[in-house]
Amino acid sequence: MSRWTVPYHHGSLPEALMDGVARAVTEHGVTGVSLRDVARQAGVSHSAPAHHFGSKAGMLTAFAARGYDLLAESVIAEVAAAWANDGAAELAAIGRGYVAFAIGHPAEFEVMFSPDAIEIDDPRLHAASEAAYAVLTSAIGRCAREGRLHGRSPEVVAVAAWSMVHGLSALWLSGRLAERITEQDPHRLAAAVSSLFVESILPA
Amino acid sequence: MSRWTVPYHHGSLPEALMDGVARAVTEHGVTGVSLRDVARQAGVSHSAPAHHFGSKAGMLTAFAARGYDLLAESVIAEVAAAWANDGAAELAAIGRGYVAFAIGHPAEFEVMFSPDAIEIDDPRLHAASEAAYAVLTSAIGRCAREGRLHGRSPEVVAVAAWSMVHGLSALWLSGRLAERITEQDPHRLAAAVSSLFVESILPA
DNA sequence: CGCAGTTCTTGACAGTGTCAAGATTGAGCG
DNA sequence: CGCTCAATCTTGACACTGTCAAGAACTGCG
């Protein structure tokens, strides 16, 4: 079980490296991630990661892609738990799920939105983020069919909704938000902000 | 005028270094900024910056603090230009000014919200960001006095407003937004989103 | 058993941030 | 003017980084 028993063919190096990235980002931020440090933690040589991910940017890109999958999971779970019987409730659940992902996976969130640290044109990344956006447009479409848009542009409403939950996530993780407000539970804050949005902007 | 005429006592090294940081961030992102590269561009030795800013993080912190000043400028300019005769119009102007700053100074915006690249506890930074937040709470207070909150928590409304404009800025700069929508002018988009917010959430 | 092919190591390279020590300069003061 | 001194910048060294080329060790398949 010690690392000397598995000098070659680690068996699950990619997974171990992903865990190492999560730890490194949590401790030192994206800017402080070191390929060699991550490799050391996994018990392999300094250039073993290159074989699986090509480069440091490739490793972080894989980490971000995994993050998009987790984001979709979190959003879908929250929507399912809400038993949303209208578009507004569904959109609010999406918002809560988005923020819940950011709070639960801060390292992934940070890397996903650090464009210059990853390979932004990676097809897997693009597809995963496309899927996440589709969930949003689907909910907005449902609201439109329910007559909740009141003549407003679906595009503007979608951008507003996405911006709000993304901004809340980013500001919360930056720490600049918590120090200025009384509410210290990000999930309750996300629920309140999401409710405010759908109740005011998307009434029946 | 050439750098050989001023080998010592550059005269305005800090300013020249700030310009170099802006260029480096624009070209390579926060993660790709190199102290030595910035120093080279300014025509000084690789460790000259340390004398003024202490470290790389210190240099980026100074850059971020300058960014907060520019943010306040941008917001105040937009509010002044709007001749806002009520709190809702003032808040919408603040939103437009926030996004306009992010679009006009993407390098500053990126560094300001890269907590692990800067010295987050720097007092100058804290004061500057405090001032920017005060503008927001003041506008929300004005809305409250005008009876536009309709029983909603001022704190939640403030967080929602800040989150929305911050998220819009971050998403736009990340490039993930423009590729999915038809509106390609970020200023018009900011105006539309800000209007949607105040008209739906803060009616008279 | 032999032998690809995958997985990982080793060693080298240029480039990085930081630190200590020293060189150069301009301003203030006799 | 001449001296001193602090501020400014340079030089050189250190450990560390990401990438690359070459080779070693293991696995599975014939």
Side-chain angles (χ1 to χ4, degrees), chain B residues 3-34:
Chain B
R3 73 179 192 84
W4 290 273
T5 68
V6 283
Y8 274 78
H9 290 81
H10 180 286
S12 52
L13 226 206
E15 287 83 353
L17 292 173
M18 291 296 95
D19 292 349
V21 170
R23 180 198 54 82
V25 173
T26 304
E27 285 178 8
H28 312 107
V30 207
T31 52
V33 173
S34 151

Side-chain angles (χ1 to χ4, degrees), chain A residues 56-151:
Chain A
K56 180 183 179 181
M59 187 175 72
L60 291 173
T61 302
F63 186 73
R66 215 190 49 160
Y68 273 103
D69 295 341
L70 293 171
L71 169 61
E73 262 182 42
S74 175
V75 168
I76 289 170
E78 191 75 31
V79 170
W83 291 96
N85 45 8
D86 60 28
E90 183 178 339
L91 195 65
I94 291 174
R96 292 194 305 272
Y98 195 100
V99 178
F101 162 74
I103 303 302
H105 303 273
E108 281 81 357
F109 188 85
E110 189 177 347
V111 176
M112 286 160 66
F113 294 96
S114 296
D116 48 275
I118 62 182
E119 289 157 1
I120 204 66
D121 294 328
D122 187 276
R124 174 150 148 64
L125 209 62
H126 202 269
S129 99
E130 198 78 40
Y133 188 65
V135 175
L136 173 63
T137 51
S138 150
I140 298 281
R142 188 172 169 193
C143 288
R145 283 192 302 280
E146 290 170 5
R148 305 181 105 99
L149 254 45
H150 309 287

Side-chain angles (χ1 to χ4, degrees), chain A residues 10 30 32 40 47 60 86 112 128 159 194:
Chain A
H10 180 286
V30 207
R40 267 191 298 269
S47 69
L60 291 173
D86 60 28
M112 286 160 66
V159 168
S194 297

Side-chain angles (χ1 to χ4, degrees), chain B:
Chain B
M1 200 56 69
S2 71
R3 73 179 192 84
W4 290 273
T5 68
V6 283
Y8 274 78
H9 290 81
H10 180 286
S12 52
L13 226 206
E15 287 83 353
L17 292 173
M18 291 296 95
D19 292 349
V21 170
R23 180 198 54 82
V25 173
T26 304
E27 285 178 8
H28 312 107
V30 207
T31 52
V33 173
S34 151
L35 244 178
R36 293 169 108 106
D37 177 53
V38 171
R40 266 191 297 270
Q41 289 282 327
V44 294
S45 80
H46 65 269
S47 70
H51 183 262
H52 292 279
F53 300 116
S55 67
K56 180 182 179 181
M59 187 175 73
L60 291 174
T61 302
F63 186 73
R66 215 190 49 159
Y68 273 104
D69 295 342
L70 293 171
L71 168 61
E73 261 181 45
S74 176
V75 167
I76 288 170
E78 191 75 31
V79 169
W83 291 95
N85 47 7
D86 61 26
E90 183 178 339
L91 196 66
I94 291 173
R96 292 194 305 272
Y98 195 100
V99 178
F101 163 74
I103 303 303
H105 303 272
E108 281 82 354
F109 188 85
E110 188 177 348
V111 176
M112 285 161 67
F113 294 97
S114 296
D116 49 275
I118 62 183
E119 290 157 1
I120 203 68
D121 294 328
D122 186 277
R124 175 150 147 65
L125 210 63
H126 201 269
S129 99
E130 196 79 40
Y133 189 65
V135 176
L136 174 62
T137 51
S138 150
I140 299 282
R142 189 173 169 193
C143 288
R145 283 192 302 279
E146 291 169 3
R148 304 180 106 99
L149 255 44
H150 309 287
R152 272 90 122 255
S153 152
E155 191 173 282
V156 169
V157 174
V159 168
W162 189 12
S163 294
M164 194 172 226
V165 291
H166 183 79
L168 177 55
S169 303
L171 288 175
W172 183 268
L173 292 182
S174 81
R176 292 285 162 75
L177 205 45
E179 66 189 13
R180 300 199 203 293
I181 62 174
T182 60
E183 175 61 78
Q184 292 298 306
D185 178 359
H187 298 97
R188 276 212 302 271
L189 190 60
V193 167
S194 297
S195 293
L196 175 66
F197 186 92
V198 300
E199 284 166 14
S200 300
I201 298 186
L202 300 168

